[in-house]
């Protein structure tokens, strides 16, 4: 495999991961600001998990970790869960960002497998 720095597919996935991480962090603050059901522990936990897995997966991709493919699969699953949660609450912009990240992660997992 090419190094992460010279592989446009990895660069694109890392950008999507960082974008999703940042948006999750911003959404945590927004949910806490809104309060009530928006600041429920399940929602905050899911956002925190998604932010953390996105950052960790980006790190694994950048250093060409041998388990990066597996991390991408786990991250895609977490991003889909987050997207579905926010689609139910009408936060479509956030859901779209999570789905875009999930798609990038799935593509990376597939391209790195084998």
């Amino acid at each position: 495999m090419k190094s992460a720095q010279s592989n446009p597919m990895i660069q694109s996935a890392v950008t999507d991961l960082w974008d999703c991480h940042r948006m999750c962090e911003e959404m945590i603050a927004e949910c806490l600001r809104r309060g009530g059901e928006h600041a429920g522990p399940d929602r905050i936990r899911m956002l925190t998990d998604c932010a953390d897995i996105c950052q960790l997966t980006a790190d694994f991709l950048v250093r060409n970790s041998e388990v990066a493919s597996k991390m991408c699969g786990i991250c895609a699953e977490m991003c889909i869960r987050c997207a579905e949660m926010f689609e139910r609450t009408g936060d479509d912009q956030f859901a779209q960002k999570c789905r875009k990240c999930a798609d990038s992660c799935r593509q990376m997992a597939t391209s790195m497998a084998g």
Side-chain angles (χ1 to χ4, degrees):
M1 177 194 284
K2 295 179 181 178
S3 74
Q5 293 78 19
S6 66
N7 186 324
M9 188 175 181
I10 292 175
Q11 289 176 350
S12 178
V14 167
T15 297
D16 289 342
L17 285 157
W18 285 338
D19 286 349
C20 192
H21 167 80
R22 187 185 74 251
M23 188 168 242
C24 286
E25 293 288 335
E26 291 170 2
M27 187 57 85
I28 290 168
E30 177 62 18
C31 286
L32 292 173
R33 186 193 66 74
R34 289 179 187 176
E37 68 182 60
H38 297 284
D42 290 343
R43 182 176 298 209
I44 300 302
R45 184 175 27 259
M46 182 172 294
L47 283 165
T48 302
D49 288 351
C50 192
D52 288 353
I53 195 71
C54 285
Q55 183 63 56
L56 188 59
T57 301
D59 292 346
F60 277 48
L61 283 173
V62 166
R63 65 179 170 254
N64 279 331
S65 170
E66 59 189 45
V67 296
S69 174
K70 290 178 184 179
M71 290 299 298
C72 286
I74 294 167
C75 189
E77 180 182 331
M78 189 72 231
C79 287
I80 290 298
R81 288 181 183 184
C82 226
E84 289 171 349
M85 178 180 68
F86 282 96
E87 286 167 348
R88 288 190 297 274
T89 61
D91 291 301
D92 293 333
Q93 180 184 8
F94 180 78
Q96 288 174 0
K97 184 71 72 173
C98 285
R99 285 197 181 277
K100 182 178 182 201
C101 188
D103 289 344
S104 289
C105 284
R106 276 195 218 106
Q107 288 174 1
M108 287 306 306
T110 300
S111 73
M112 296 173 89

